[in-house]
Amino acid sequence: MWRYLKRLLIGKPLKTLDEGGQSLTKFRALALLSSDALSSIAYGTEQILSVLLVLSAAATWYALPVAGIVLVLLFAITISYRQIINAYPSGGGAYVVASTNWGQSAGLVAGGSLLVDYMLTVAVSVTSGTEAITSAIPSLHAYAVPIAILIVIGIMALNLRGLRDSASFLTFPVYLFIIMITIMIGVGFFNIITGRVVAHAAASVGSAVPGMTVVLFLKALSSGSSSLTGVEAISNAVPNFKRPRRKNAANTLAIMALILAVFFAGITFLSYAGGILPNANQTVLSQIGESLFGHGLLFYLLQLSTALILAVAANTGFSAFPMLAYNLAKDKYMPHAYMDRGDRLGYSNGIISLAVGAIVLIIIFHGQTSLLIPLYAVGVFVPFTLSQSGMIIHWFRERTGHWLLKSSANLLGAALSFGLVICLFFLHFGNVWPYLIVMPALLRLFYKIHQHYVKVAKQLRIAAKGKVQLHDYDGSTVIVLVSNVTRVTAGAINYARSIGDYVIAMHVSFDADPKKEHKTAVEFKAEYPDVRFVDIHSSYRSIANPTLRFCDVIARRAAERNYTTTVLVPQFVPRRPWQNILHNQTGLRLRAALNSRENIIVSTYHYHLNE
């Protein structure tokens, strides 16, 4: 049943050679990888205005220079990540750049920051989309957390189906949002140019505002920088593009950055010109749409497209997280399971892990994750700083093709990104302090995993070919675990005789039914007089502990004789898999306990039932 359900939800498995069919064109990649970045314009301008409005409505004109600095940073970041795509086309983005140029520790900081950031992105995006749904249907407000969890599970299932299916699904909401925002900005500027509307700006540009400080300006800038989250996703997913991968990925990044810049600048200017201020009942974007379209069809289409883009913005994380986890696993800093491809050629373990992490965040914060925006801005700008400064080192080492000009763009981006990180820590410390706990814990985890893999490789590695020292044994002892005398026991004993020089049948007896225990011993000795039968009494109904103690004693004696020790666990297999739940799983528990002994070989004798 599970197999059929899996095929229904995920689809039939794809051959490894079908991987090329899952590659992304620029059109599909823009839909798949830009939803996070584009969705941030729905709240980026509002974040800036909310900070400035604390002082006064007149101070909101400062949103224009703040937006200008954000656009400069976007330009520098875009140039830098285009360079990263061309210099490091294997994916991994900031992690690979920082590791190569700053060292592995810096790379792990960048990689760990992005891993957490993608979980936060999914949680924030899904809860934002859920808020749009519950705003439209207030009766669903009490079910916000279950709705958000269902959305995460739905997006996870979509990504498990493969890149092509998820990109096809996202094409409609992403391009609908692009079309609606383009129409809104076009209509707004047309009305301003033709004089159809009168400007309602709260204050003219350049006017002095009493109480305005550098700290408040920087706080608005750090809040508005959330509009740049998601820009790095394309550099992490370069291997997913159609050939030529570098060119297609770089061009897709440029297109996304251009759209993001036009939309962010347009929305910020229209909010200033229209005198629109944030309020608790209606978003800035909604107010702009209402002022331009009234309550007609275009307004409701704008609201629908905004809700959809916020809900599917989480998909960027589902596209980038598995690739980043793959690169970390390849370098032995995450479990190798993240390198395994699923039935649909996606990195399924990364997709599922991201979904689980996001669901945990949604449950912990009860669906109210808006306070996490500064935290996940830190998670983006720390890797931005490391990757762009790393590219400066790259260009000074390579010194090819206008390297001074390229490194200058990286320097500008690195300086602005570092400045924003400092601002976020000093001005939003109440929201971002968990970063100082999570990152050291993640780094310790990465190094522990790496140490384990290094130690395993060292112990398994053959020193030199042809010089492998094989131990010669003089014989083998086989211990067969016996519960009662059945066909399973008979088959196991016969098999043990065929492989062992010395066979022992071990039985654990309890106080509950002494007659039954005595009967088992008598039957076994009558059936197999040549096999030693040992009955171990257990007063506490435990099977594992007496078995371990007995096997340890036999293994020590066998080692003294230069014998191997094999413990054979008989187990019958029901015809139907579901029938396993009708039987106790003593064999599983015994194997798990015996696996802890390094001098004992554990084997299972399966007897398959036909009816």
Side-chain angles (χ1 to χ4, degrees):
M1 183 177 68
W2 163 245
R3 185 168 63 250
Y4 294 136
L5 181 61
K6 184 181 178 183
R7 293 291 167 263
L8 178 65
L9 295 176
I10 300 176
K12 66 179 183 178
L14 296 174
K15 297 178 181 178
T16 303
L17 296 177
D18 293 335
E19 183 179 4
Q22 292 292 304
S23 299
L24 300 171
T25 62
K26 292 192 289 291
F27 182 82
R28 289 177 180 268
L30 187 64
L32 187 68
L33 299 170
S34 68
S35 55
D36 179 25
L38 294 180
S39 69
S40 63
I41 66 169
Y43 52 80
T45 298
E46 189 163 0
Q47 293 287 318
I48 298 172
L49 294 174
S50 297
V51 173
L52 296 172
L53 189 59
V54 172
L55 178 60
S56 66
T60 55
W61 79 262
Y62 282 98
L64 296 179
V66 168
I69 297 175
V70 171
L71 291 176
V72 171
L73 180 57
L74 173 62
F75 173 77
I77 289 173
T78 303
I79 294 297
S80 179
Y81 274 99
R82 279 177 61 88
Q83 296 171 3
I84 290 172
I85 288 169
N86 285 295
Y88 303 94
S90 61
Y95 163 69
V96 174
V97 176
S99 298
T100 305
N101 298 290
W102 280 118
Q104 197 62 53
S105 295
L108 292 175
V109 170
S113 297
L114 286 173
L115 287 178
V116 175
D117 182 67
Y118 289 135
M119 288 187 183
L120 293 170
T121 297
V122 173
V124 171
S125 300
V126 168
T127 51
S128 298
T130 303
E131 286 172 5
I133 294 171
T134 55
S135 297
I137 311 174
S139 60
L140 295 177
H141 185 74
Y143 306 100
V145 171
I147 290 171
I149 292 173
L150 286 175
I151 292 174
V152 172
I153 293 173
I155 298 175
M156 177 192 74
L158 181 66
N159 280 272
L160 289 174
R161 292 186 64 88
L163 289 174
R164 172 177 286 183
D165 285 11
S166 54
S168 299
F169 176 82
L170 291 171
T171 298
F172 173 74
V174 171
Y175 284 104
L176 175 64
F177 182 73
I178 291 174
I179 291 170
M180 292 312 303
I181 298 296
T182 302
I183 293 172
M184 185 190 76
I185 292 175
V187 171
F189 275 85
F190 178 78
N191 289 344
I192 292 172
I193 292 171
T194 58
R196 293 191 176 191
V197 295
V198 180
H200 296 90
S204 59
V205 175
S207 58
V209 179
M212 186 64 190
T213 63
V214 174
V215 172
L216 185 63
F217 184 87
L218 291 176
K219 192 171 185 179
L221 176 61
S222 60
S223 296
S225 65
S226 61
S227 297
L228 302 182
T229 56
V231 173
E232 80 294 335
I234 291 176
S235 68
N236 285 323
V238 177
N240 292 332
F241 281 81
K242 282 187 176 294
R243 298 179 186 277
R245 292 193 175 103
R246 299 185 193 189
K247 181 179 179 181
N248 288 332
N251 290 342
T252 303
L253 175 62
I255 294 168
M256 182 187 74
L258 179 61
I259 294 172
L260 180 60
V262 171
F263 286 2
F264 179 68
I267 291 170
T268 303
F269 181 78
L270 289 177
S271 65
Y272 164 74
I276 291 172
L277 302 174
N279 65 61
N281 300 318
Q282 196 174 13
T283 65
V284 167
L285 189 61
S286 177
Q287 292 180 65
I288 296 173
E290 185 179 22
S291 67
L292 295 173
F293 304 136
H295 282 276
L297 176 63
L298 289 177
F299 172 74
Y300 289 108
L301 283 175
L302 175 65
Q303 292 297 91
L304 173 64
S305 66
T306 303
L308 288 175
I309 194 73
L310 286 169
V312 303
N315 198 78
T316 297
F318 279 100
S319 302
F321 181 99
M323 287 300 304
L324 179 56
Y326 167 83
N327 279 282
L328 283 161
K330 185 176 65 175
D331 293 338
K332 304 185 188 308
Y333 289 100
M334 284 186 72
H336 285 169
Y338 289 101
M339 298 170 63
D340 296 338
R341 290 184 180 271
D343 287 351
R344 304 286 292 180
L345 299 178
Y347 296 105
S348 303
N349 292 322
I351 294 169
I352 295 170
S353 298
L354 177 59
V356 171
I359 288 172
V360 170
L361 286 172
I362 290 170
I363 293 173
I364 290 175
F365 292 95
H366 304 288
Q368 304 296 320
T369 54
S370 57
L371 295 177
L372 295 174
I373 289 177
L375 180 59
Y376 95 95
V378 167
V380 170
F381 282 103
V382 168
F384 278 178
T385 304
L386 291 171
S387 63
Q388 292 177 98
S389 57
M391 286 304 294
I392 297 173
I393 298 173
H394 170 82
W395 291 125
F396 270 83
R397 185 176 63 247
E398 297 294 328
R399 296 176 182 267
T400 57
H402 307 290
W403 63 274
L404 274 176
L405 182 62
K406 293 175 180 177
S407 60
S408 299
N410 297 141
L411 178 62
L412 175 63
L416 289 173
S417 297
F418 181 71
L420 281 171
V421 170
I422 299 299
C423 289
L424 285 164
F425 272 107
F426 277 96
L427 302 177
H428 298 275
F429 187 77
N431 299 115
V432 302
W433 64 265
Y435 183 87
L436 299 177
I437 297 175
V438 172
M439 275 314 302
L442 265 181
L443 287 174
R444 180 173 174 80
L445 177 63
F446 289 150
Y447 281 117
K448 283 290 184 183
I449 293 172
H450 187 73
Q451 288 172 9
H452 169 76
Y453 282 128
V454 170
K455 289 177 181 177
V456 168
K458 183 179 179 181
Q459 293 174 78
L460 297 181
R461 188 178 298 116
I462 296 174
K465 292 182 179 179
K467 295 184 179 181
V468 183
Q469 297 295 323
L470 297 177
H471 188 85
D472 293 326
Y473 293 102
D474 295 330
S476 70
T477 298
V478 181
I479 303 171
V480 182
L481 305 185
V482 176
S483 60
N484 46 39
V485 182
T486 63
R487 290 186 180 182
V488 186
T489 306
I493 291 294
N494 289 332
Y495 176 71
R497 284 167 166 168
S498 71
I499 65 170
D501 297 292
Y502 182 46
V503 178
I504 305 172
M506 196 209 80
H507 174 72
V508 178
S509 62
F510 304 129
D511 294 327
D513 193 351
K515 291 183 179 179
K516 178 179 178 294
E517 304 292 359
H518 178 70
K519 181 182 177 183
T520 299
V522 171
E523 286 182 354
F524 188 91
K525 291 175 181 178
E527 188 75 24
Y528 306 103
D530 60 323
V531 176
R532 180 186 173 191
F533 181 84
V534 178
D535 186 6
I536 307 295
H537 182 261
S538 175
S539 300
Y540 295 94
R541 301 160 306 283
S542 170
I543 295 178
N545 289 334
T547 301
L548 284 175
R549 286 196 299 268
F550 177 77
C551 291
D552 285 340
V553 171
I554 298 300
R556 281 197 299 271
R557 293 177 180 175
E560 292 171 359
R561 300 174 59 192
N562 199 30
Y563 271 40
T564 61
T565 302
T566 301
V567 178
L568 190 61
V569 183
Q571 181 175 334
F572 66 83
V573 180
R575 186 173 182 183
R576 305 294 182 187
W578 67 267
Q579 294 169 341
N580 280 298
I581 63 175
L582 304 178
H583 305 278
N584 60 38
Q585 302 299 319
T586 306
L588 289 174
R589 296 196 298 272
L590 287 171
R591 285 196 298 274
L594 289 163
N595 283 339
S596 64
R597 299 313 199 251
E598 64 177 89
N599 56 341
I600 294 176
I601 302 163
V602 184
S603 183
T604 305
Y605 177 82
H606 290 109
Y607 183 86
H608 292 262
L609 303 178
N610 296 321
E611 297 180 4

